Amino acid sequence: MDVDYYSLLTKAVAGKDAVARSKIYKDAYNLIASSNLTRRAASSHVAALEDAVRRIENGIGGEELGETKSAAAIHSVLSAGPNWKPLAAGACALIVVIALSVLLYGYLSIKDPRGGVIASSRQPPGIADLVVADLQPGVDGGSSAADLPFALQRQVVFYRTTVVPGSIVVDRESRFLYLIDYNNSARRYGIGIAQECLKGGSFFHITSKLEWPDWRPSGADAAKDAPALLATTGHPGSLLGSRALLLDRPGLIIHGTNSPKTIGHLVASGCIRLVNDDVEDLYRRVSLQTRVVFVS
């Protein structure tokens, strides 16, 4: 088990009475119950939590629960029964519960609900810095992020910021785009980013919204590449994908892609890319003049 509930709870309940300990156990259980884990994964976490509670209470041997407390009795402490009433355990206990919740939330928010490995919110050094080549124009690599690591899939996350709700925040280093919501939350999208968009200004606005945008090549190969690129416009094989948001700086654009596997990496073309399903979702949620903030 990747979460050491015994160590976390031992520190959290140190010096607490039975009422305070029960509240901490209950909060930990509720945190697991409210996560996005599958039933199988959640059951595994609950079993580990109950085992940790049993070990702690047996070690304490206090008068409240006793050394012979059964597994069923421990489960009743954790269960959300109708007779449960919140009990104030003092400021110290509250601080401990908050700290424990933050630790568990940090783990559960990045756990793949399909039972896979944990996907870090930061891309591994060296991997994220590799420039990943695009598929050829007209080749449809798919529109969904379903095959990407869970962290790169669209999801609502806790995100504390002073940026006004409704704005977009682009985290260049972590390869994430956030659509800021209220109550310290945001809708997070995985992105790929071209090298020329890694640096530059920080504050922009959306000036245009395009459906199935044209790709206008520049440079020596423009004449050669233009027919193939324009032929894919309006189709899943388009290198700019199904939607585009143009910002008030030439060349700065948030767009889709025909290469979902490039999400999370440096890319060879375009600027800020999302899978087509995600850019369409973002397109529907933002309007012209939406503020876009780039951070590193």
Side-chain angles (χ1 to χ4, degrees):
M1 181 62 60
D2 293 314
V3 178
D4 189 354
Y5 288 102
Y6 180 76
S7 297
L8 291 173
L9 291 174
T10 297
K11 295 177 181 179
V13 303
K16 304 297 186 298
D17 59 20
V19 172
R21 294 198 305 271
S22 295
K23 179 173 176 54
I24 292 173
Y25 301 151
K26 178 70 181 308
D27 287 340
Y29 173 86
N30 287 340
L31 189 63
I32 295 174
S34 63
S35 69
N36 293 325
L37 296 173
T38 61
R39 179 174 299 180
R40 179 177 180 181
S43 297
S44 178
H45 280 274
V46 169
L49 177 61
E50 291 180 343
D51 180 69
V53 172
R54 186 179 302 109
R55 291 172 59 191
I56 291 170
E57 293 301 317
N58 286 340
I60 293 175
E63 295 179 357
E64 298 85 358
L65 295 178
E67 295 184 354
T68 59
K69 190 170 188 65
S70 65
I74 292 175
H75 182 73
S76 69
V77 172
L78 297 172
S79 300
N83 295 325
W84 177 268
K85 296 180 180 180
L87 300 174
C92 291
L94 180 60
I95 292 173
V96 171
V97 170
I98 293 174
L100 177 63
S101 298
V102 170
L103 288 172
L104 291 178
Y105 181 84
Y107 171 80
L108 295 174
S109 65
I110 60 173
K111 182 72 172 68
D112 189 332
R114 296 168 297 185
V117 298
I118 299 173
S120 171
S121 62
R122 295 275 178 177
Q123 302 306 310
I127 295 179
D129 293 332
L130 296 176
V131 176
V132 179
D134 292 327
L135 295 175
Q136 292 298 314
V139 177
D140 179 16
S143 297
S144 169
D147 293 331
L148 296 176
F150 179 66
L152 293 174
Q153 297 178 25
R154 182 172 75 241
Q155 55 194 281
V156 175
V157 299
F158 176 81
Y159 190 74
R160 181 170 294 169
T161 180
T162 58
V163 176
V164 177
S167 302
I168 291 172
V169 173
V170 179
D171 189 330
R172 295 179 173 111
E173 180 182 351
S174 296
R175 312 290 193 258
F176 290 126
L177 182 150
Y178 297 88
L179 179 59
I180 306 303
D181 203 347
Y182 294 91
N183 301 321
N184 293 322
S185 67
R187 188 172 297 269
R188 188 178 75 187
Y189 307 81
I191 64 172
I193 183 169
Q195 290 187 5
E196 53 267 30
C197 296
L198 284 174
K199 298 180 181 180
S202 298
F203 302 100
F204 303 95
H205 293 84
I206 295 174
T207 59
S208 184
K209 298 173 63 179
L210 302 176
E211 296 187 13
W212 294 106
D214 292 347
W215 184 292
R216 300 291 182 180
S218 60
D221 294 330
K224 179 183 69 175
D225 296 340
L229 293 170
L230 293 178
T232 65
T233 300
H235 300 282
S238 170
L239 292 183
L240 280 181
S242 57
R243 302 289 185 271
L245 304 173
L246 276 61
L247 308 187
D248 49 359
R249 192 191 83 180
L252 200 57
I253 177 174
I254 300 169
H255 58 89
T257 180
N258 66 331
S259 307
K261 291 184 179 179
T262 61
I263 300 301
H265 299 276
L266 283 179
V267 295
S269 60
C271 189
I272 306 296
R273 65 173 60 181
L274 296 77
V275 297
N276 283 342
D277 287 353
D278 286 358
V279 78
E280 290 176 15
D281 181 83
L282 180 64
Y283 185 95
R284 290 191 296 267
R285 296 177 186 275
V286 300
S287 58
L288 297 179
Q289 298 305 312
T290 293
R291 189 179 189 186
V292 181
V293 181
F294 282 77
V295 297
S296 296

